[in-house]
Amino acid sequence: MNAPARISGYQNVHRALCDRRLVQSMYSECDVLMERVLLTLHGDEHTCRRAIEWKLFRRDFARYYEREVYPATLARTFDPYLARGHLDLPEFGFRVNINLSADIAGIDRPEGSKSETDALVAFTRKFSEGATLFHSTREKSIVRQEVAAALKQFNEQFLLPSRSRREALLKQIEEGSQVQEAPRDILTVLLANRADQDLDDDMILREVAFFMQAGSHSSANALTHSFHEIDQWCRHHPEDRSRIMADDHFLQACVHESLRLHPASPVAWRTASEAFLLPDGTSVDEGESVVIDLMSANLEEPLFGSDAEHFNPHRRVADRIPPFGLSFGIGIHTCFGRDIAGGLGDARTQGEAPHLGTLTNLLKNLMQHDARPDPANPPLADADTERPNWGSYPLIIGQQTGGAT
Ligand code: HEM
């Protein structure tokens, strides 16, 4: 078999991600979860689904979430760890974002209990393993079975009750007997549009499960990478430590710089839906695979500087290039969570209160509580995936207990 065509460099990658002739192909390994969810749809079906769901993500949603909802969620999740004095960063990142995912997806948590959150975290971790199966180092057929079992349980425990509540509400609204507005979440949107969008029960289950994982998995990984980069930077640039603590925009610049160096996946895979010339002039046949090298785009020296492959939060980036490069994608499948996770840059919030994003807010909180690597338990890479992620990253938090950085 011929090697797939490979597209690299910022402008070529940008154009390829915006080209409708290139169809998403990295997620078909796990159809049990990913078949016909937003990320794997293309053409008109993708445009229609995206249009109805995107309405939830208007800019005011990210601001509202950051101001009104996130501080309480963060405090509630953080307090038990603070009392314990230690945490595992990828696990903490997942847990704190599970509420965001559930709010967006439309999953009710009637008990608000720890065991309920534990169950949601376990299900969502399994969905993430399914979504990233392409890069898994585990036996794929076993992962598929585990994902199918998790979906079934998630459906019974969480989705069906959440769905019944929304269906009853939508019916009352339709009959005019309900003055309350319908909840603003993906499940409600899907139920309200199920006839127009050809959505059966399994499809709705997969879409909601996909949103559960999309809202937490990449953020948890990005949080751990950012912490690591900042910690390493401060060891060699101790003069910046106090600025990171005091200047929210500088901390956000650190997060964006880390996102640039650690895209959720270093490559995106697509299949050509017809024969044509790629942006770099390479010809591809219908059905041919194309690897889009996001990492090469994010490291392009003329745009990001001659030290592009190193972390440098003081970096000046070329005009009109996002500081995080293409790590949230661009074009057809641009990430819905970009502003929620990454916030808005200084230039985009002039005259308004800053919108820092969940990652910067989380790091700020960790740093305020003197979070530092646990010298007795060094971090470990995630052995279950080819993606360069951390599997565990133990931190000590709160009062110094010795051996801190
Ligand atoms: C640091 C955090 C995140 C990163 C790095 C990230 C990255 C990405 C990337 C690269 C894509 C495009 C994939 C492609 O073109 O093949 C994407 C799509 C998507 N992301 Fe995110 N994401 C993050 C957080 C979130 C959050 C918090 C949400 C919450 C809803 C979210 C929802 C989505 C959705 C729904 C899509 C699919 C869009 C479509 O196919 O039209 N993401 N994300």
Side-chain angles (χ1 to χ4, degrees):
M1 209 171 66
N2 290 338
R6 196 175 184 96
I7 272 287
S8 50
Y10 192 92
Q11 296 306 339
N12 287 336
V13 166
H14 191 293
R15 268 184 237 136
L17 289 172
C18 294
D19 195 318
R20 293 186 172 275
R21 293 167 295 186
L22 291 172
V23 177
Q24 187 67 263
S25 66
M26 204 163 67
Y27 302 96
S28 45
E29 287 278 6
C30 194
D31 275 351
V32 63
L33 175 73
M34 299 299 280
E35 188 189 351
R36 283 184 63 219
V37 302
L38 180 68
L39 188 60
T40 60
L41 287 178
H42 53 268
D44 290 347
E45 222 186 336
H46 177 263
T47 309
C48 293
R49 179 89 57 88
R50 194 170 160 103
I52 58 164
E53 294 181 345
W54 177 245
K55 289 187 191 139
L56 298 175
F57 290 86
R58 289 188 304 256
R59 202 166 136 185
D60 65 316
F61 176 79
R63 283 179 182 281
Y64 161 77
Y65 199 84
E66 177 161 322
R67 302 248 169 83
E68 309 294 329
V69 186
Y70 210 61
T73 304
L74 185 55
R76 214 174 34 246
T77 316
F78 201 54
D79 285 352
Y81 290 102
L82 201 55
R84 220 180 299 156
H86 58 89
L87 58 80
D88 181 44
L89 196 48
E91 197 267 337
F92 169 75
F94 224 101
R95 182 168 283 268
V96 78
N97 282 305
I98 207 77
N99 290 290
L100 166 69
S101 295
D103 285 342
I104 291 174
I107 290 300
D108 296 335
R109 285 91 72 210
E111 294 170 12
S113 64
K114 180 177 175 301
S115 62
E116 204 176 44
T117 307
D118 287 345
L120 275 180
V121 168
F123 289 138
T124 307
R125 275 186 176 283
K126 199 45 71 185
F127 302 152
S128 295
E129 238 191 299
T132 57
L133 191 56
F134 186 87
H135 287 118
S136 178
T137 53
R138 295 187 58 211
E139 172 57 49
K140 294 193 172 154
S141 59
I142 294 179
V143 178
R144 275 184 212 108
Q145 284 167 22
E146 291 172 356
V147 172
L151 271 171
K152 188 167 177 293
Q153 284 178 37
F154 170 75
N155 190 33
E156 285 158 14
Q157 196 176 338
F158 288 101
L159 185 85
L160 290 178
S162 305
R163 203 178 92 183
S164 301
R165 188 172 81 79
R166 282 162 183 74
E167 280 170 343
L169 258 174
L170 287 171
K171 191 158 176 281
Q172 288 165 8
I173 291 171
E174 201 181 302
E175 289 164 352
S177 62
Q178 175 61 265
V179 281
Q180 197 186 326
E181 276 185 31
R184 203 171 142 180
D185 55 49
I186 293 293
L187 179 55
T188 307
V189 166
L190 297 177
L191 292 172
N193 290 277
R194 61 184 304 168
D196 316 338
Q197 299 265 329
D198 183 23
L199 300 169
D200 60 26
D201 289 353
D202 285 346
M203 181 62 257
I204 292 178
L205 169 62
R206 289 197 298 277
E207 186 80 342
V208 169
F210 160 67
F211 266 89
M212 287 298 296
Q213 82 82 28
S216 37
H217 175 77
S218 303
S219 296
N221 287 327
L223 178 72
T224 313
H225 284 304
S226 300
F227 182 92
H228 180 73
E229 292 291 5
I230 293 171
D231 182 63
Q232 295 294 310
W233 178 262
C234 289
R235 283 167 197 251
H236 299 106
H237 302 86
E239 70 284 2
D240 273 345
R241 191 176 283 281
S242 52
R243 184 164 175 205
I244 284 170
M245 298 293 294
D247 179 349
D248 290 348
H249 285 293
F250 187 58
L251 179 58
Q252 189 187 36
C254 293
V255 168
H256 288 172
E257 176 70 348
S258 174
L259 280 164
R260 182 182 67 81
L261 290 174
H262 305 281
S265 168
V267 291
W269 281 68
R270 302 287 197 261
T271 302
S273 62
E274 59 185 82
F276 71 104
L277 290 184
L278 292 173
D280 66 353
T282 310
S283 71
V284 281
D285 290 332
E286 182 185 342
E288 199 174 329
S289 290
V290 178
V291 178
I292 304 178
D293 187 345
L294 292 168
M295 201 66 240
S296 73
N298 285 2
L299 296 183
E300 193 159 296
E301 293 191 1
L303 302 180
F304 297 102
S306 57
D307 64 343
E309 65 182 58
H310 299 290
F311 180 86
N312 175 6
H314 299 285
R315 177 175 310 289
R316 304 287 299 230
V317 175
D319 281 353
R320 306 223 300 233
I321 301 292
F324 39 75
L326 295 175
S327 287
F328 289 106
I330 197 77
I332 302 162
H333 291 283
T334 305
C335 178
F336 272 19
R338 185 189 60 193
D339 293 352
I340 298 174
L344 298 172
D346 235 351
R348 291 174 65 198
T349 54
Q350 267 167 19
E352 298 174 16
H355 168 44
L356 298 171
T358 52
L359 290 169
T360 302
N361 277 307
L362 273 172
L363 281 161
K364 190 174 160 183
N365 224 267
L366 285 166
M367 282 166 188
Q368 281 167 347
H369 290 98
D370 194 22
R372 58 220 184 261
D374 178 350
N377 292 297
L380 294 173
D382 187 348
D384 288 342
T385 178
E386 289 166 5
R387 294 188 183 185
N389 289 330
W390 294 104
S392 73
Y393 204 108
L395 297 184
I396 300 175
I397 41 167
Q399 273 196 335
Q400 292 271 354
T401 51
T405 58

